[in-house]
Amino acid sequence: MKRAGVTLVELLVALGVLGILLVAAGRYFASSTDLSFAARARAEVLSELQTAQAIIAARARQAAFVYPEFAELTLSNSGYTTRNPLTDGYVWKISDGLMLAMILPPENRAQPCGGGNTSGCFMFYAYYPVKRSALMKAAPLLRPVDDPLNQGSWVLMEYRAAYDSPPGYERGAPLPPVPTGQQGRMLAEYLSPVGAPGYPRLFLTEGEHRPDDEGNPALQPDGNPNTWVFRVHSWLSGERSLGAQTARVPRQGALEQDIFVRNTLLR
């Protein structure tokens, strides 16, 4: 009686089909893993940018003064945490759309300013980007996590410093000085490059608006028609390279802010 079996050709065909199925399954799972990683990376970038935007908006709503478009500021004359990514220098032009700078009133006016206590001081805040590659040269505590795929990305920074004495500003006079010598701190990683062809600006500070000129009573909470108001726009967007893919977060929704600021320093 002849024994049933498979021929060598049939075995090779079966192995070939099995190999094709295994390759297809491997590619499917690899693709699913890549998509999952990209989605997770995008969610992390979005969450970080939303937190940063919320902080900026909260500061702006508390501000007593916002530096106008014609201002040129220097935060420090050295260091990597305050270096302008477009010029590699330390001068920032507000009109370039890279920086939002403001002065906040004391948290507690009953407290004295000084002696390590800043709750009774006027505070200067600035928000701006720096190159990730430059920030990697800063002190270890100021550096982001090493990420070779994103050395060309930008990082959003916050600079804060206390005034020794209350600043003031009269129309036509020099702008309030900037308390210098502090380090910036990282607020959000993986910021999309700005100020370059094809990329939008981060911030826009629109001139001085009088509420009565706007015709909007809501802008006169103190009932003073001579109160001057700045209109601050803030847009954030992010991108993170993952190699074959890029996780992108467009500037929309909570990443766009349009805020009116009453300048109580302006006289």
Side-chain angles (χ1 to χ4, degrees):
M1 184 175 182
K2 189 175 182 180
R3 181 177 298 177
V6 295
T7 65
L8 179 60
V9 173
E10 291 173 329
L11 180 60
L12 292 175
V13 170
L15 290 175
V17 172
L18 179 60
I20 293 173
L21 292 175
L22 289 175
V23 170
R27 288 179 177 175
Y28 171 78
F29 286 115
S31 176
S32 298
T33 301
D34 289 344
L35 290 175
S36 176
F37 181 58
R40 187 166 62 251
R42 184 185 183 281
E44 291 174 354
V45 173
L46 175 60
S47 177
E48 196 169 67
L49 289 175
Q50 286 177 331
T51 300
Q53 186 69 289
I55 291 173
I56 294 171
R59 300 281 191 221
R61 291 190 179 100
Q62 297 171 4
F65 183 80
V66 177
Y67 284 80
E69 286 280 289
F70 62 82
E72 294 187 11
L73 307 179
T74 301
L75 306 182
S76 174
N77 290 316
S78 62
Y80 297 103
T81 66
T82 57
R83 181 176 290 181
N84 190 319
L86 294 185
T87 65
D88 281 331
Y90 296 96
V91 177
W92 297 80
K93 295 181 179 180
I94 300 297
S95 59
D96 287 339
L98 296 181
M99 176 179 283
L100 174 62
M102 64 191 82
I103 299 174
L104 269 64
E107 294 179 6
N108 187 349
R109 293 180 182 271
Q111 292 288 331
C113 176
N117 177 24
T118 60
S119 63
C121 302
F122 280 84
M123 296 292 297
F124 173 87
Y125 284 88
Y127 298 92
Y128 55 93
V130 298
K131 290 180 180 177
R132 187 186 189 92
S133 57
L135 198 58
M136 292 301 296
K137 302 175 185 177
L141 292 178
L142 301 174
R143 297 176 192 167
V145 176
D146 188 27
D147 188 347
L149 291 176
N150 289 279
Q151 288 305 299
S153 68
W154 293 24
V155 177
L156 182 65
M157 306 293 289
E158 178 188 73
Y159 178 96
R160 65 173 74 176
Y163 283 92
D164 294 329
S165 58
Y169 175 56
E170 295 184 5
R171 192 171 308 285
L175 294 172
V178 175
T180 60
Q182 301 298 318
Q183 296 283 348
R185 70 181 186 94
M186 188 169 59
L187 196 61
E189 296 186 67
Y190 307 113
L191 187 72
S192 294
V194 294
Y199 289 95
R201 58 192 295 162
L202 278 177
F203 306 109
L204 171 64
T205 304
E206 287 190 316
E208 299 163 346
H209 296 268
R210 288 179 59 167
D212 52 348
D213 293 339
E214 294 287 332
N216 185 352
L219 298 180
Q220 301 180 44
D222 56 1
N224 182 1
N226 293 316
T227 298
W228 286 79
V229 176
F230 279 91
R231 188 173 188 173
V232 174
H233 304 268
S234 175
W235 305 277
L236 299 182
S237 60
E239 57 184 62
R240 179 184 177 186
S241 174
L242 306 173
Q245 300 185 61
T246 299
R248 288 188 172 88
V249 176
R251 57 175 197 168
Q252 61 185 13
L255 298 183
E256 294 182 287
Q257 294 286 341
D258 188 3
I259 303 164
F260 284 95
V261 181
R262 291 186 302 123
N263 284 268
T264 56
L265 287 189
L266 193 60
R267 297 192 290 268

